[in-house]
Amino acid sequence: MKNIPSMTALIAAAQAAGVQEEYRLSSQRLTDYLRDTVNSCRAAVLTGQRVDLSPAALITDVRRRIQRRQESRLRRVINATGILLHTNLGRAPLGLLARQRVQAVAAGYCNLEYDTDTGGRGSRMSHIGERLARLVGAEAALAVNNNAAAVLLVLAALAAPGEVIVSRGEQVEIGGMFRIPDVIRQSGAQLVEVGTTNRTHLADYRDAITANTTAILKVHTSNYRISGFTKQPTRTELAELAKEKNIPLFEDVGSGLVLPVAAVGGTEPTVAEILAAGVDLVLFSGDKLLGGPQAGIIVGTGHHIQRLAKHPLMRALRLDKLSVAALEGTLLSYERGSAPQDVPILHFLGRGEGELRQMAEELACAMRQELPEDLWCTVLSLQGEVGGGALPEARLESWGVSVDLPGGSPEHLVRYLRRRSVPIVARCKEGKVLFDMRTLFPGEAAEIGAALRDYCQGGMAE
Ligand SMILES: *Cc1c(COP(=O)(O)O)cnc(C)c1O
Protein backbone atom coordinates (compact mmCIF):
# COMPACT_ATOMS: atom_id res chain seq x y z
CA MET A 1 0.00 0.00 0.00
CA LYS A 2 2.84 2.33 0.91
CA ASN A 3 4.16 2.03 -2.64
CA ILE A 4 1.02 3.49 -4.21
CA PRO A 5 1.97 7.07 -5.20
CA SER A 6 0.17 9.89 -3.40
CA MET A 7 -2.55 11.83 -5.20
CA THR A 8 -0.28 14.90 -5.20
CA ALA A 9 2.49 12.94 -6.88
CA LEU A 10 0.07 11.44 -9.40
CA ILE A 11 -1.47 14.81 -10.27
CA ALA A 12 2.00 16.16 -10.90
CA ALA A 13 2.87 13.16 -13.07
CA ALA A 14 -0.35 13.55 -15.07
CA GLN A 15 0.30 17.27 -15.54
CA ALA A 16 3.81 16.56 -16.73
CA ALA A 17 2.44 14.01 -19.22
CA GLY A 18 -0.03 16.59 -20.56
CA VAL A 19 -3.08 14.42 -19.82
CA GLN A 20 -5.29 17.33 -18.76
CA GLU A 21 -4.82 19.32 -22.00
CA GLU A 22 -4.95 16.26 -24.23
CA TYR A 23 -8.40 15.24 -23.02
CA ARG A 24 -9.66 18.76 -22.15
CA LEU A 25 -10.37 17.85 -18.55
CA SER A 26 -11.07 20.19 -15.67
CA SER A 27 -8.73 19.73 -12.70
CA GLN A 28 -11.60 18.17 -10.78
CA ARG A 29 -12.29 15.59 -13.54
CA LEU A 30 -8.60 14.71 -13.76
CA THR A 31 -8.48 14.19 -10.01
CA ASP A 32 -11.57 11.95 -10.19
CA TYR A 33 -9.97 9.75 -12.85
CA LEU A 34 -6.72 9.50 -10.88
CA ARG A 35 -8.64 8.56 -7.75
CA ASP A 36 -10.39 5.77 -9.68
CA THR A 37 -7.01 4.46 -10.71
CA VAL A 38 -5.64 4.60 -7.17
CA ASN A 39 -8.75 2.89 -5.80
CA SER A 40 -8.51 0.05 -8.27
CA CYS A 41 -4.81 -0.35 -7.45
CA ARG A 42 -5.67 -0.57 -3.74
CA ALA A 43 -8.33 -3.19 -4.46
CA ALA A 44 -5.89 -5.19 -6.56
CA VAL A 45 -3.19 -5.04 -3.88
CA LEU A 46 -5.68 -6.08 -1.21
CA THR A 47 -6.62 -9.18 -3.19
CA GLY A 48 -2.95 -10.08 -3.45
CA GLN A 49 -2.44 -9.29 -7.14
CA ARG A 50 0.88 -8.05 -8.45
CA VAL A 51 0.42 -4.48 -9.68
CA ASP A 52 2.85 -2.18 -11.47
CA LEU A 53 2.73 0.93 -9.27
CA SER A 54 5.16 3.09 -11.21
CA PRO A 55 3.75 6.54 -12.07
CA ALA A 56 4.13 5.70 -15.79
CA ALA A 57 1.96 2.58 -15.42
CA LEU A 58 -0.66 4.50 -13.45
CA ILE A 59 -0.77 7.27 -16.07
CA THR A 60 -1.28 4.62 -18.77
CA ASP A 61 -4.16 3.23 -16.73
CA VAL A 62 -5.68 6.70 -16.40
CA ARG A 63 -5.45 7.29 -20.15
CA ARG A 64 -7.22 4.00 -20.76
CA ARG A 65 -10.02 4.98 -18.38
CA ILE A 66 -10.46 8.39 -20.00
CA GLN A 67 -10.50 6.93 -23.49
CA ARG A 68 -13.05 4.31 -22.52
CA ARG A 69 -15.28 6.96 -20.94
CA GLN A 70 -15.04 9.19 -24.01
CA GLU A 71 -15.99 6.43 -26.47
CA SER A 72 -19.58 6.21 -27.57
CA ARG A 73 -21.42 3.28 -26.11
CA LEU A 74 -24.19 3.12 -28.68
CA ARG A 75 -22.47 1.79 -31.75
CA ARG A 76 -22.83 -0.10 -34.98
CA VAL A 77 -23.13 -3.85 -34.64
CA ILE A 78 -22.79 -6.52 -37.32
CA ASN A 79 -25.92 -8.66 -37.19
CA ALA A 80 -25.01 -12.15 -38.34
CA THR A 81 -27.99 -13.77 -36.60
CA GLY A 82 -30.25 -13.71 -39.66
CA ILE A 83 -32.99 -12.19 -37.48
CA LEU A 84 -34.18 -9.23 -39.52
CA LEU A 85 -35.95 -7.29 -36.80
CA HIS A 86 -33.99 -7.77 -33.62
CA THR A 87 -35.34 -5.45 -30.94
CA ASN A 88 -32.06 -5.64 -29.01
CA LEU A 89 -30.17 -4.64 -32.17
CA GLY A 90 -32.29 -1.58 -32.87
CA ARG A 91 -34.87 -3.18 -35.19
CA ALA A 92 -35.00 -1.71 -38.71
CA PRO A 93 -31.84 -0.12 -40.15
CA LEU A 94 -32.71 3.08 -42.02
CA GLY A 95 -32.53 3.36 -45.79
CA LEU A 96 -30.58 5.95 -47.74
CA LEU A 97 -33.45 8.38 -48.24
CA ALA A 98 -34.37 8.27 -44.55
CA ARG A 99 -30.75 8.94 -43.55
CA GLN A 100 -30.52 11.78 -46.03
CA ARG A 101 -33.66 13.42 -44.64
CA VAL A 102 -32.32 13.13 -41.06
CA GLN A 103 -29.03 14.72 -42.08
CA ALA A 104 -30.73 17.50 -43.98
CA VAL A 105 -32.87 18.43 -41.00
CA ALA A 106 -30.67 17.62 -38.00
CA ALA A 107 -27.93 20.18 -38.43
CA GLY A 108 -30.05 23.28 -38.72
CA TYR A 109 -33.47 24.77 -38.16
CA CYS A 110 -36.42 23.26 -39.99
CA ASN A 111 -40.10 23.86 -40.65
CA LEU A 112 -41.18 21.16 -38.18
CA GLU A 113 -44.19 23.19 -37.02
CA TYR A 114 -43.90 26.20 -39.25
CA ASP A 115 -46.19 26.82 -42.19
CA THR A 116 -43.97 28.37 -44.83
CA ASP A 117 -47.04 29.51 -46.85
CA THR A 118 -48.65 31.59 -44.14
CA GLY A 119 -45.74 32.15 -41.78
CA GLY A 120 -47.93 30.85 -38.98
CA ARG A 121 -47.87 27.73 -36.89
CA GLY A 122 -47.87 24.45 -38.80
CA SER A 123 -48.24 20.84 -37.76
CA ARG A 124 -45.50 18.24 -37.59
CA MET A 125 -48.02 15.73 -38.91
CA SER A 126 -48.40 17.72 -42.14
CA HIS A 127 -45.11 16.22 -43.36
CA ILE A 128 -46.14 12.61 -42.95
CA GLY A 129 -49.89 12.27 -42.34
CA GLU A 130 -51.01 12.49 -45.95
CA ARG A 131 -48.18 10.35 -47.24
CA LEU A 132 -48.97 7.64 -44.68
CA ALA A 133 -52.66 7.71 -45.47
CA ARG A 134 -52.03 7.49 -49.23
CA LEU A 135 -49.59 4.61 -48.79
CA VAL A 136 -52.21 2.37 -47.19
CA GLY A 137 -55.37 3.83 -48.72
CA ALA A 138 -56.68 5.34 -45.47
CA GLU A 139 -58.70 8.52 -44.96
CA ALA A 140 -56.16 9.88 -42.50
CA ALA A 141 -53.09 8.95 -40.48
CA LEU A 142 -51.10 9.98 -37.44
CA ALA A 143 -47.77 8.93 -35.97
CA VAL A 144 -46.61 8.87 -32.35
CA ASN A 145 -43.55 7.69 -30.48
CA ASN A 146 -44.06 3.93 -30.85
CA ASN A 147 -46.82 1.39 -31.29
CA ALA A 148 -47.28 0.98 -27.54
CA ALA A 149 -48.00 4.72 -27.42
CA ALA A 150 -50.39 4.35 -30.36
CA VAL A 151 -52.42 1.69 -28.52
CA LEU A 152 -52.45 3.78 -25.35
CA LEU A 153 -53.55 6.93 -27.18
CA VAL A 154 -56.31 5.23 -29.17
CA LEU A 155 -57.78 3.62 -26.08
CA ALA A 156 -57.44 6.71 -23.87
CA ALA A 157 -58.93 9.04 -26.47
CA LEU A 158 -61.60 6.84 -28.00
CA ALA A 159 -62.48 4.08 -25.55
CA ALA A 160 -61.90 5.23 -21.94
CA PRO A 161 -63.61 5.11 -19.52
CA GLY A 162 -65.83 2.60 -21.31
CA GLU A 163 -65.39 -1.10 -21.98
CA VAL A 164 -63.02 -2.57 -24.56
CA ILE A 165 -63.67 -6.10 -25.73
CA VAL A 166 -60.63 -8.31 -26.43
CA SER A 167 -60.49 -12.04 -27.14
CA ARG A 168 -58.75 -14.22 -24.53
CA GLY A 169 -56.71 -15.66 -27.41
CA GLU A 170 -55.22 -12.21 -28.07
CA GLN A 171 -54.06 -11.12 -24.59
CA VAL A 172 -50.59 -10.57 -25.93
CA GLU A 173 -47.37 -9.84 -24.11
CA ILE A 174 -44.82 -8.54 -26.60
CA GLY A 175 -41.96 -8.43 -24.12
CA GLY A 176 -40.35 -5.33 -22.70
CA MET A 177 -43.42 -4.84 -20.47
CA PHE A 178 -45.98 -4.40 -23.25
CA ARG A 179 -49.01 -6.39 -22.13
CA ILE A 180 -52.42 -5.71 -23.58
CA PRO A 181 -54.33 -5.89 -20.26
CA ASP A 182 -51.85 -3.47 -18.64
CA VAL A 183 -51.99 -0.97 -21.49
CA ILE A 184 -55.80 -1.03 -21.41
CA ARG A 185 -55.75 -0.38 -17.66
CA GLN A 186 -53.33 2.53 -18.12
CA SER A 187 -55.59 4.06 -20.75
CA GLY A 188 -58.46 4.24 -18.27
CA ALA A 189 -60.64 1.85 -20.27
CA GLN A 190 -62.13 -1.35 -18.83
CA LEU A 191 -61.00 -4.64 -20.33
CA VAL A 192 -63.74 -7.12 -21.12
CA GLU A 193 -62.30 -10.51 -22.03
CA VAL A 194 -64.28 -12.84 -24.25
CA GLY A 195 -63.91 -16.44 -25.43
CA THR A 196 -61.24 -18.86 -24.30
CA THR A 197 -57.53 -19.15 -24.98
CA ASN A 198 -58.04 -21.26 -28.10
CA ARG A 199 -61.56 -20.46 -29.26
CA THR A 200 -63.50 -17.21 -29.48
CA HIS A 201 -66.77 -17.06 -31.43
CA LEU A 202 -68.50 -14.08 -32.97
CA ALA A 203 -71.34 -14.71 -30.51
CA ASP A 204 -68.89 -14.20 -27.62
CA TYR A 205 -68.22 -10.67 -28.86
CA ARG A 206 -71.92 -10.06 -29.52
CA ASP A 207 -72.94 -11.22 -26.05
CA ALA A 208 -70.33 -9.01 -24.37
CA ILE A 209 -71.55 -5.79 -25.98
CA THR A 210 -73.40 -3.55 -23.52
CA ALA A 211 -74.34 0.11 -23.34
CA ASN A 212 -70.87 0.71 -21.85
CA THR A 213 -68.93 -0.86 -24.72
CA THR A 214 -66.80 1.75 -26.48
CA ALA A 215 -64.54 -0.39 -28.68
CA ILE A 216 -63.58 -3.82 -29.93
CA LEU A 217 -59.82 -4.35 -30.05
CA LYS A 218 -58.20 -7.00 -32.18
CA VAL A 219 -54.54 -7.73 -31.46
CA HIS A 220 -52.03 -9.49 -33.68
CA THR A 221 -50.52 -12.48 -31.91
CA SER A 222 -47.13 -11.31 -33.12
CA ASN A 223 -44.88 -13.65 -31.23
CA TYR A 224 -46.87 -16.83 -30.72
CA ARG A 225 -49.44 -19.02 -32.42
CA ILE A 226 -52.28 -20.99 -30.95
CA SER A 227 -52.71 -24.05 -33.12
CA GLY A 228 -54.93 -27.12 -33.01
CA PHE A 229 -58.60 -26.74 -32.05
CA THR A 230 -58.87 -22.99 -32.55
CA LYS A 231 -61.34 -20.38 -33.72
CA GLN A 232 -61.48 -16.63 -34.18
CA PRO A 233 -64.18 -14.81 -36.15
CA THR A 234 -62.90 -13.36 -39.40
CA ARG A 235 -62.00 -9.71 -39.50
CA THR A 236 -64.93 -9.04 -41.84
CA GLU A 237 -67.41 -10.70 -39.47
CA LEU A 238 -66.06 -8.66 -36.59
CA ALA A 239 -66.24 -5.46 -38.64
CA GLU A 240 -69.86 -6.19 -39.59
CA LEU A 241 -70.80 -6.76 -35.96
CA ALA A 242 -69.06 -3.51 -34.94
CA LYS A 243 -70.93 -1.56 -37.66
CA GLU A 244 -74.25 -3.10 -36.65
CA LYS A 245 -73.70 -2.08 -33.04
CA ASN A 246 -72.13 1.26 -33.96
CA ILE A 247 -68.92 0.51 -32.05
CA PRO A 248 -65.47 1.19 -33.52
CA LEU A 249 -63.16 -1.73 -34.30
CA PHE A 250 -59.44 -1.12 -33.72
CA GLU A 251 -56.64 -3.49 -34.65
CA ASP A 252 -53.10 -3.55 -33.32
CA VAL A 253 -51.32 -5.39 -36.13
CA GLY A 254 -47.83 -5.03 -34.67
CA SER A 255 -45.51 -5.14 -37.64
CA GLY A 256 -47.78 -3.74 -40.35
CA LEU A 257 -47.05 -5.11 -43.78
CA VAL A 258 -47.37 -2.32 -46.33
CA LEU A 259 -46.13 -4.08 -49.45
CA PRO A 260 -46.89 -7.74 -50.03
CA VAL A 261 -43.58 -9.56 -49.46
CA ALA A 262 -43.00 -12.74 -51.43
CA ALA A 263 -40.56 -14.14 -48.86
CA VAL A 264 -43.30 -14.34 -46.24
CA GLY A 265 -45.63 -16.07 -48.65
CA GLY A 266 -48.85 -14.05 -48.38
CA THR A 267 -49.55 -15.36 -44.86
CA GLU A 268 -50.19 -11.85 -43.57
CA PRO A 269 -52.71 -9.31 -44.84
CA THR A 270 -51.38 -5.87 -45.74
CA VAL A 271 -52.54 -2.81 -43.80
CA ALA A 272 -54.62 -1.78 -46.84
CA GLU A 273 -56.39 -5.15 -46.83
CA ILE A 274 -57.14 -4.85 -43.12
CA LEU A 275 -58.65 -1.40 -43.63
CA ALA A 276 -60.65 -2.68 -46.61
CA ALA A 277 -62.12 -5.39 -44.36
CA GLY A 278 -63.79 -2.61 -42.35
CA VAL A 279 -61.43 -1.98 -39.43
CA ASP A 280 -61.74 1.65 -38.26
CA LEU A 281 -58.17 2.17 -37.08
CA VAL A 282 -55.07 0.07 -37.73
CA LEU A 283 -52.03 0.53 -35.47
CA PHE A 284 -48.49 -0.63 -36.23
CA SER A 285 -44.81 0.08 -35.57
CA GLY A 286 -42.65 2.29 -37.77
CA ASP A 287 -39.52 0.21 -37.20
CA LYS A 288 -40.80 -3.26 -37.94
CA LEU A 289 -41.69 -4.31 -41.49
CA LEU A 290 -42.23 -0.73 -42.66
CA GLY A 291 -38.46 -0.38 -42.20
CA GLY A 292 -38.41 3.14 -40.77
CA PRO A 293 -37.61 4.79 -37.42
CA GLN A 294 -39.24 3.95 -34.10
CA ALA A 295 -42.80 5.21 -34.37
CA GLY A 296 -46.37 4.17 -33.77
CA ILE A 297 -48.56 4.62 -36.82
CA ILE A 298 -52.32 4.96 -36.70
CA VAL A 299 -54.29 4.88 -39.97
CA GLY A 300 -58.01 4.86 -40.66
CA THR A 301 -61.16 6.91 -40.30
CA GLY A 302 -60.71 10.68 -40.48
CA HIS A 303 -62.92 11.70 -37.57
CA HIS A 304 -61.15 9.28 -35.21
CA ILE A 305 -57.72 10.53 -36.28
CA GLN A 306 -58.85 14.14 -35.70
CA ARG A 307 -59.89 13.32 -32.15
CA LEU A 308 -56.56 11.62 -31.48
CA ALA A 309 -54.66 14.64 -32.80
CA LYS A 310 -56.44 16.90 -30.29
CA HIS A 311 -56.03 14.65 -27.25
CA PRO A 312 -53.76 15.99 -24.45
CA LEU A 313 -51.69 12.76 -24.46
CA MET A 314 -50.63 13.59 -28.01
CA ARG A 315 -48.22 16.18 -26.65
CA ALA A 316 -46.49 13.57 -24.50
CA LEU A 317 -46.37 10.96 -27.24
CA ARG A 318 -45.40 13.07 -30.23
CA LEU A 319 -42.50 12.32 -32.56
CA ASP A 320 -39.35 14.43 -32.51
CA LYS A 321 -38.01 16.08 -35.66
CA LEU A 322 -35.40 13.39 -36.35
CA SER A 323 -38.05 10.68 -36.36
CA VAL A 324 -40.37 12.79 -38.51
CA ALA A 325 -37.51 13.25 -40.98
CA ALA A 326 -36.60 9.54 -40.99
CA LEU A 327 -40.23 8.53 -41.35
CA GLU A 328 -40.79 10.98 -44.20
CA GLY A 329 -37.67 9.66 -45.96
CA THR A 330 -38.88 6.07 -45.57
CA LEU A 331 -42.31 7.00 -46.94
CA LEU A 332 -40.65 8.78 -49.87
CA SER A 333 -38.89 5.51 -50.75
CA TYR A 334 -42.29 3.85 -50.96
CA GLU A 335 -43.77 6.75 -52.91
CA ARG A 336 -40.93 6.65 -55.45
CA GLY A 337 -41.23 2.88 -55.81
CA SER A 338 -37.67 2.29 -54.66
CA ALA A 339 -38.49 0.85 -51.22
CA PRO A 340 -37.70 -2.79 -52.11
CA GLN A 341 -34.11 -1.74 -52.81
CA ASP A 342 -33.72 1.31 -50.52
CA VAL A 343 -35.29 0.07 -47.33
CA PRO A 344 -32.83 -2.43 -45.82
CA ILE A 345 -35.48 -4.66 -44.24
CA LEU A 346 -37.25 -5.08 -47.57
CA HIS A 347 -33.96 -5.52 -49.42
CA PHE A 348 -32.88 -8.25 -46.98
CA LEU A 349 -36.29 -9.94 -47.13
CA GLY A 350 -36.05 -9.97 -50.91
CA ARG A 351 -32.67 -11.72 -51.00
CA GLY A 352 -33.08 -15.00 -52.82
CA GLU A 353 -31.44 -18.27 -51.83
CA GLY A 354 -29.07 -18.07 -54.81
CA GLU A 355 -27.70 -14.70 -53.72
CA LEU A 356 -27.40 -15.77 -50.06
CA ARG A 357 -25.62 -18.98 -51.01
CA GLN A 358 -23.15 -17.08 -53.15
CA MET A 359 -22.42 -14.64 -50.31
CA ALA A 360 -21.79 -17.60 -47.98
CA GLU A 361 -19.51 -19.29 -50.49
CA GLU A 362 -17.46 -16.14 -50.96
CA LEU A 363 -17.03 -15.72 -47.22
CA ALA A 364 -16.10 -19.37 -46.70
CA CYS A 365 -13.64 -19.20 -49.57
CA ALA A 366 -11.94 -16.11 -48.10
CA MET A 367 -11.82 -17.78 -44.68
CA ARG A 368 -10.27 -20.97 -46.05
CA GLN A 369 -7.51 -19.01 -47.76
CA GLU A 370 -6.60 -16.95 -44.76
CA LEU A 371 -7.31 -19.03 -41.70
CA PRO A 372 -5.41 -21.93 -40.19
CA GLU A 373 -6.49 -25.37 -41.35
CA ASP A 374 -7.75 -26.45 -37.97
CA LEU A 375 -10.58 -23.93 -38.28
CA TRP A 376 -13.21 -25.58 -40.40
CA CYS A 377 -15.74 -23.52 -42.22
CA THR A 378 -18.70 -24.98 -44.00
CA VAL A 379 -21.36 -23.38 -46.17
CA LEU A 380 -24.79 -24.49 -45.02
CA SER A 381 -28.45 -23.66 -45.37
CA LEU A 382 -30.06 -22.00 -42.36
CA GLN A 383 -33.51 -21.08 -41.20
CA GLY A 384 -33.85 -17.41 -40.37
CA GLU A 385 -36.74 -15.54 -38.88
CA VAL A 386 -38.19 -12.09 -39.20
CA GLY A 387 -38.13 -11.46 -35.43
CA GLY A 388 -39.19 -8.33 -33.59
CA GLY A 389 -42.61 -9.77 -32.91
CA ALA A 390 -43.37 -10.07 -36.61
CA LEU A 391 -44.59 -13.07 -38.55
CA PRO A 392 -43.82 -15.78 -35.97
CA GLU A 393 -44.52 -18.57 -38.41
CA ALA A 394 -42.55 -17.29 -41.37
CA ARG A 395 -39.40 -19.35 -41.83
CA LEU A 396 -36.88 -17.69 -44.08
CA GLU A 397 -34.64 -20.09 -45.93
CA SER A 398 -31.18 -18.61 -45.69
CA TRP A 399 -27.52 -19.52 -46.19
CA GLY A 400 -24.56 -19.01 -43.99
CA VAL A 401 -21.16 -20.18 -42.87
CA SER A 402 -20.53 -22.33 -39.84
CA VAL A 403 -17.18 -22.21 -38.12
CA ASP A 404 -15.95 -25.16 -36.15
CA LEU A 405 -12.83 -25.05 -33.99
CA PRO A 406 -11.96 -28.62 -33.12
CA GLY A 407 -10.86 -28.50 -29.51
CA GLY A 408 -11.81 -24.81 -29.25
CA SER A 409 -14.82 -23.31 -27.54
CA PRO A 410 -17.54 -21.80 -29.74
CA GLU A 411 -18.80 -19.77 -26.75
CA HIS A 412 -15.34 -18.25 -26.41
CA LEU A 413 -15.31 -17.22 -30.07
CA VAL A 414 -18.83 -15.77 -29.84
CA ARG A 415 -17.83 -13.76 -26.77
CA TYR A 416 -14.67 -12.52 -28.48
CA LEU A 417 -16.67 -11.36 -31.52
CA ARG A 418 -19.25 -9.65 -29.34
CA ARG A 419 -16.62 -7.66 -27.44
CA ARG A 420 -14.82 -6.21 -30.46
CA SER A 421 -15.02 -2.47 -31.06
CA VAL A 422 -17.52 -3.21 -33.84
CA PRO A 423 -19.32 -6.11 -32.18
CA ILE A 424 -20.31 -9.08 -34.32
CA VAL A 425 -23.39 -10.91 -33.11
CA ALA A 426 -23.45 -14.54 -34.23
CA ARG A 427 -25.32 -17.61 -33.13
CA CYS A 428 -23.90 -20.67 -31.45
CA LYS A 429 -25.43 -24.03 -32.28
CA GLU A 430 -24.34 -27.60 -31.68
CA GLY A 431 -20.76 -26.62 -30.98
CA LYS A 432 -20.44 -24.41 -34.05
CA VAL A 433 -20.61 -20.68 -34.64
CA LEU A 434 -23.10 -19.71 -37.34
CA PHE A 435 -22.99 -16.59 -39.53
CA ASP A 436 -26.22 -15.96 -41.43
CA MET A 437 -25.83 -13.94 -44.63
CA ARG A 438 -29.34 -12.48 -44.86
CA THR A 439 -28.80 -9.59 -42.45
CA LEU A 440 -25.32 -8.53 -43.61
CA PHE A 441 -24.63 -5.21 -45.33
CA PRO A 442 -22.05 -5.02 -48.13
CA GLY A 443 -18.54 -5.31 -46.70
CA GLU A 444 -19.63 -6.91 -43.43
CA ALA A 445 -18.76 -10.45 -44.57
CA ALA A 446 -15.20 -9.20 -45.10
CA GLU A 447 -15.23 -7.68 -41.59
CA ILE A 448 -16.25 -11.07 -40.20
CA GLY A 449 -13.37 -12.67 -42.09
CA ALA A 450 -10.94 -10.11 -40.63
CA ALA A 451 -12.28 -10.66 -37.12
CA LEU A 452 -11.73 -14.42 -37.40
CA ARG A 453 -8.19 -13.80 -38.59
CA ASP A 454 -7.57 -11.58 -35.53
CA TYR A 455 -9.01 -14.32 -33.35
CA CYS A 456 -6.62 -16.91 -34.73
CA GLN A 457 -3.70 -14.52 -34.39
CA GLY A 458 -4.10 -13.85 -30.71
CA GLY A 459 -7.72 -13.32 -29.75
CA MET A 460 -8.02 -17.03 -29.07
CA ALA A 461 -5.61 -16.66 -26.16
CA GLU A 462 -7.44 -13.72 -24.55
C1 LIG B 1 -44.32 -4.92 -31.52
C2 LIG B 1 -45.72 -4.83 -31.10
C3 LIG B 1 -46.14 -3.80 -30.24
C4 LIG B 1 -45.19 -2.79 -29.67
O1 LIG B 1 -44.74 -1.93 -30.64
P1 LIG B 1 -43.58 -0.86 -30.28
O2 LIG B 1 -43.44 -0.08 -31.55
O3 LIG B 1 -42.39 -1.65 -29.91
O4 LIG B 1 -44.08 -0.04 -29.16
C5 LIG B 1 -47.46 -3.74 -29.89
N1 LIG B 1 -48.35 -4.66 -30.34
C6 LIG B 1 -47.97 -5.66 -31.16
C7 LIG B 1 -49.01 -6.65 -31.61
C8 LIG B 1 -46.65 -5.78 -31.57
O5 LIG B 1 -46.27 -6.77 -32.38
Side-chain angles (χ1 to χ4, degrees), residues 91 146-148 174 178 219-220 222 252-254 285 287-288 295 388-389:
R91 290 203 188 149
N146 57 20
N147 192 25
I174 297 299
F178 180 91
V219 186
H220 192 275
S222 301
D252 171 10
V253 297
S285 295
D287 55 355
K288 289 185 181 172

Side-chain angles (χ1 to χ4, degrees), residues 80-81 83 382-384 414 425-429 432-434 436:
T81 64
I83 300 172
L382 295 170
Q383 286 232 312
V414 163
V425 185
R427 282 189 292 167
C428 222
K429 198 177 170 198
K432 298 182 174 65
V433 180
L434 304 180
D436 193 313

Side-chain angles (χ1 to χ4, degrees), residues 215-296:
I216 298 174
L217 177 66
K218 190 166 166 56
V219 186
H220 192 275
T221 55
S222 301
N223 49 5
Y224 68 99
R225 272 288 178 273
I226 297 172
S227 60
F229 187 51
T230 63
K231 178 152 180 74
Q232 282 288 340
T234 66
R235 187 173 283 114
T236 311
E237 286 170 341
L238 214 48
E240 278 165 6
L241 174 66
K243 287 244 151 39
E244 177 196 324
K245 300 287 186 183
N246 202 20
I247 295 167
L249 171 62
F250 305 137
E251 183 164 346
D252 171 10
V253 297
S255 60
L257 202 54
V258 168
L259 292 177
V261 177
V264 299
T267 50
E268 291 283 323
T270 61
V271 172
E273 287 164 347
I274 295 171
L275 286 168
V279 174
D280 293 278
L281 291 179
V282 178
L283 291 62
F284 59 99
S285 295
D287 55 355
K288 289 185 181 172
L289 286 176
L290 183 72
Q294 178 184 305

